[in-house]
């Protein structure tokens, strides 16, 4: 059994994370990585979704070190047949936020500073009311939390979910316009061409042309959505 959901995220706060750093400018690309979405949606190390991990890799209560453990955390989603695609922007606006800070040493020997110039930087953030869209493919029905937190500021966002029931699974050449994680499709499909979206930890691709691969053709009103089948999290 395959269940496909079309999900949207509406920001209620500004969203910031550093997709790229250009000098003192820290830019937020209007796209959400599928790794980040798995954590934000509460799918990782969850009793509710049966994705608990070994205690030494536990994510729910305390992280003893700031080292990503994507393989240990996301493999459990593969075992439960849960896959989340990256989220693209349906509508968004951006703004620049300038921040400053000074070097104040209160607990050391006072020394005369050479320059009285505060450090500063600029962050390009995604504004509230921006909307993103992603897809969730599962082997069984799921329900998601209505409210989640995203980005460095733990920004509040609202999740809406719609089940898509009118779809076929077929095999032939196809093009997927939605963002994808290349590691999750390159082992099961032959990729011919794509556009790259540079972002850590794994750059994404979109407008991907595939050669004779299994995929879903989903009808939602007058729109036809094309997504690769057999997607799962891979790391090498």
């Amino acid at each position: 059994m395959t269940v496909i959901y079309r999900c949207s995220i509406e920001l209620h706060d500004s969203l910031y994370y550093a997709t790229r750093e250009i000098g003192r400018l820290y830019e937020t690309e209007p796209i959400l990585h599928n790794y980040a979405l798995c954590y934000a949606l509460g799918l990782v190390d969850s009793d509710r979704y049966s994705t608990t991990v070994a205690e030494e890799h536990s994510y729910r209560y305390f992280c003893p070190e700031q080292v990503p453990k994507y393989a240990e955390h996301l493999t459990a989603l593969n075992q439960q047949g849960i896959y989340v695609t990256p989220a693209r922007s349906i509508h968004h606006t951006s703004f620049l936020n300038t921040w400053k800070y000074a070097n104040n040493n209160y607990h050391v020997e006072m020394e005369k500073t050479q320059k009285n110039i505060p450090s500063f930087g600029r962050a390009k953030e995604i504004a509230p009311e921006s909307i993103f869209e992603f897809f969730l493919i599962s082997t069984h029905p799921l329900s998601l939390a209505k409210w989640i937190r995203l980005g460095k500021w733990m920004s509040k966002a609202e999740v809406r979910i719609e089940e898509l029931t009118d779809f076929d699974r077929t095999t032939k050449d196809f093009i997927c316009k939605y963002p994808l994680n290349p590691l999750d499709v390159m082992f099961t499909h032959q990729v011919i061409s794509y556009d790259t979206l540079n972002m850590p930890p794994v750059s994404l691709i979109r407008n991907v042309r595939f050669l004779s691969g299994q995929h879903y053709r989903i009808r939602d009103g007058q729109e036809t959505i094309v997504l690769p089948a057999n997607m799962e999290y891979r790391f090498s």
Side-chain angles (χ1 to χ4, degrees):
M1 177 182 179
T2 299
V3 185
I4 302 177
Y5 299 100
R6 187 175 199 168
C7 309
S8 66
I9 295 175
E10 181 177 357
L11 301 182
H12 285 237
D13 294 320
S14 62
L15 173 64
Y16 165 72
Y17 58 90
T19 306
R20 65 174 61 89
E21 300 178 10
I22 308 172
R24 294 182 182 268
L25 172 64
Y26 302 86
E27 185 173 0
T28 304
E29 186 77 19
I31 192 165
L32 305 177
H33 205 288
N34 60 336
Y35 291 176
L37 280 177
C38 289
Y39 289 92
L41 293 169
L43 298 174
V44 173
D45 197 13
S46 167
D47 292 328
R48 177 179 182 180
Y49 301 107
S50 301
T51 58
T52 54
V53 299
E55 184 176 353
E56 61 267 27
H57 304 310
S58 179
Y59 177 77
R60 287 178 288 178
Y61 304 114
F62 173 69
C63 297
E65 55 184 359
Q66 298 298 313
V67 178
K69 296 186 176 182
Y70 301 125
E72 292 82 359
H73 291 163
L74 300 181
T75 298
L77 275 69
N78 289 340
Q79 296 167 352
Q80 293 302 316
I82 301 172
Y83 186 81
V84 177
T85 70
R88 65 168 183 164
S89 166
I90 299 299
H91 160 75
H92 80 277
T93 55
S94 301
F95 67 94
L96 288 174
N97 180 28
T98 301
W99 47 266
K100 299 179 180 179
Y101 67 89
N103 183 18
N104 295 320
N105 297 321
Y106 296 109
H107 63 285
V108 297
E109 182 181 355
M110 298 300 294
E111 297 180 359
K112 185 177 180 180
T113 58
Q114 298 298 318
K115 295 182 179 180
N116 186 23
I117 301 177
S119 297
F120 70 93
R122 307 182 76 188
K124 184 178 179 181
E125 304 181 19
I126 308 298
E129 300 185 0
S130 298
I131 297 177
F132 294 82
E133 176 188 64
F134 67 95
F135 296 91
L136 192 157
I137 303 173
S138 175
T139 56
H140 52 277
L142 295 175
S143 60
L144 300 178
K146 181 177 181 181
W147 299 99
I148 62 173
R149 297 282 180 174
L150 293 169
K152 295 292 187 180
W153 308 149
M154 296 297 287
S155 307
K156 185 177 181 180
E158 182 179 2
V159 179
R160 301 185 183 93
I161 182 170
E162 171 195 3
E163 182 176 355
L164 303 175
T165 57
D166 187 6
F167 63 88
D168 299 319
R169 182 165 173 161
T170 185
T171 302
K172 60 180 180 179
D173 298 358
F174 68 101
I175 297 175
C176 179
K177 66 180 181 180
Y178 301 97
L180 301 171
N181 187 322
L183 291 180
D184 302 342
V185 296
M186 64 184 297
F187 294 97
T188 54
H189 297 77
Q190 185 174 349
V191 177
I192 298 177
S193 62
Y194 54 85
D195 299 330
T196 302
L197 296 166
N198 293 313
M199 63 185 306
V202 178
S203 292
L204 304 178
I205 56 177
R206 64 183 171 189
N207 298 323
V208 189
R209 183 182 175 190
F210 293 93
L211 178 62
S212 188
Q214 291 192 17
H215 60 281
Y216 299 106
R217 299 188 69 86
I218 310 160
R219 290 165 290 277
D220 187 14
Q222 297 183 346
E223 182 183 7
T224 299
I225 302 165
V226 180
L227 293 174
N230 303 319
M231 287 188 291
E232 63 178 22
Y233 302 101
R234 296 178 183 267
F235 310 98
S236 60

